[in-house]
Amino acid sequence: MPEGIEAETARSLIERRALGRKIVAVDVPDAWFLKRGLTPRRARRALQGCTTVEARRRGKLILVDTDGPTIGLHLGMSGRILVDDEAAGDPLLYASNKANPKWVRFALRFADGGSLALRDPRRLGAVTLDPDEDRLGPDAFALTPAQLLDAIGSSTAPLKAALMNQGKIAGIGNLLADEILWRAGLDPAREAASLDDTEMRRLHRTIAKVLVELSARGGSHTGDLMAARVPGGLCPKDGTPLIRRTVGGRTTFSCPKHQR
DNA sequence: GATGACCTGTGA
DNA sequence: TCACAGGTCATC
C-alpha cells in the first residue's frame, strides 16, 4: 500500500536518477493502465523526444515534468518505480516484491539506454498526462494547522474517512490514518467536525510527526501500531485488545480505551 | 457519505 | 479454494 511516504521515496529516486534524460521510446504493454482518455499512441506522440526536467509529488501522485507534458504516475496499492531496473524503497507489504517482467505496465526508455518503469502486479496504479493536480488537497507533508481545519473541520464524515479523503488532504492512506489516530488518541469513527481546538492541534502535530518518523524508518508499514494490526492484537500503549472495524470503507484497528 | 467494483498475488 | 489486502472511481 504505497501511501504518501512511498510516493515520496519514489519521487526522490526519480529526482536523483532519472532527470535530464531524453525519452526515445514509451513502452505501454498494458493500455488499460493509461487513464483519463490517454492511449498508447497519444502517450508516444506526446513524450517521444522530450527530456525529463523535474520530479514532484502531491499526495500519492508522482509528477514527472518534461520539457513537454507532465507525466502523472500513481502506484495504486502494489506499484513500484524502477529507474534503470533499480527499485525505490523497501519491500512493500501486501505486494509481491519479485521482479516478474510481465508486471511492468509502463516504461520510458531513455536515449542513454536506461529506463524509468512502473511495475505493478495488481494493476491498480495509473499513468496520466498533465493530470489535474488541483483535484487533490494540500499535501500531508506540508499541512498547516489552518489547512487541516479547513479540510476536516466541518466534515460530518468519520474522522478517519476525512483524513483519507485525497481531495481534502493528499497522501494519507489506510495504515498512516490508523497510526496517526492511534497516536493522537482519537477514535477513527468520531465525526470529524466534533474535534475541539486542543484535539485539532494534537492531530496536526501527530500527522507531522508520524510522516517524518515513518519516512525515516522506511515506510508506512513501520508504525508502532503495525505489529498489533492483526486479529487479537493488543494496544502497544496500554495492552487493551484492539478493535477491528470498517470505518470509511476500510479495515480499521483502534484502541477502545485510549482513542476517544 | 456509504458502498461496491476494479484487479490479482498471497496465505490460510 | 477462497477470503483478503486496498487506492480510486462510479453509483446510489
Side-chain angles (χ1 to χ4, degrees):
Chain A
M1 14 71 299
E3 304 187 22
I5 290 175
E6 284 71 26
E8 172 56 24
T9 305
R11 185 208 65 80
S12 165
L13 175 70
I14 294 170
E15 182 176 76
R16 282 181 285 115
R17 302 276 306 278
L19 296 186
R21 300 173 76 174
K22 184 177 174 182
I23 300 164
V24 292
V26 180
D27 293 340
V28 188
D30 186 357
W32 188 89
F33 216 71
L34 305 180
K35 296 294 153 64
R36 302 196 178 271
L38 186 61
T39 63
R41 180 191 171 87
R42 266 193 245 170
R44 280 191 198 97
R45 257 216 286 258
L47 293 172
Q48 273 173 4
C50 292
T51 297
T52 55
V53 296
E54 196 172 352
R56 297 178 292 120
R57 180 189 58 79
R58 180 140 163 187
K60 304 168 190 173
L61 180 65
I62 299 161
L63 297 149
V64 181
D65 296 321
T66 71
D67 53 5
T70 293
I71 307 163
L73 302 172
H74 203 292
L75 301 176
M77 77 160 278
S78 62
R80 308 193 72 180
I81 294 293
L82 298 90
V83 175
D84 302 333
D85 297 325
E86 181 196 313
D90 287 337
L92 283 176
L93 211 58
Y94 307 133
S96 173
N97 296 289
K98 285 176 267 181
N100 192 331
K102 78 173 186 189
W103 292 334
V104 171
R105 313 293 179 187
F106 180 84
L108 305 173
R109 281 193 280 143
F110 299 125
D112 56 28
S115 67
L116 166 61
L118 206 167
R119 184 169 70 205
D120 181 9
R122 302 280 249 293
R123 297 176 80 215
L124 284 170
V127 174
T128 54
L129 279 191
D130 294 323
D132 178 9
E133 301 170 31
D134 290 326
R135 295 173 71 248
L136 298 168
D139 188 80
F141 279 79
L143 194 70
T144 65
Q147 285 174 326
L148 177 64
L149 183 62
D150 184 54
I152 73 170
S154 57
S155 171
T156 60
L159 182 51
K160 177 173 175 178
L163 277 185
M164 290 198 303
N165 183 338
Q166 302 300 301
K168 297 294 185 182
I169 300 171
I172 298 175
N174 198 37
L175 295 181
L176 284 178
D178 274 9
E179 176 78 11
I180 288 165
L181 294 174
W182 174 75
R183 289 201 194 193
L186 296 167
D187 181 350
R190 250 180 81 177
E191 186 178 286
S194 73
L195 269 59
D196 63 27
D197 292 351
T198 306
E199 292 170 325
M200 199 65 85
R201 273 197 301 275
R202 198 162 78 223
L203 177 59
H204 178 263
R205 277 199 311 271
T206 309
I207 291 171
K209 189 168 162 64
V210 165
L211 287 172
V212 168
E213 208 171 301
L214 302 202
S215 293
R217 289 188 197 172
S220 304
H221 60 289
T222 59
D224 297 339
L225 183 64
M226 196 61 215
R229 239 176 150 280
V230 292
L234 303 179
C235 176
K237 196 171 283 186
D238 55 34
T240 306
L242 296 177
I243 51 177
R244 178 190 192 276
R245 305 174 275 181
T246 298
V247 178
R250 307 242 75 92
T251 298
T252 299
F253 286 85
S254 63
C255 174
K257 186 174 175 197
H258 87 268
Q259 288 182 257
R260 306 208 162 268

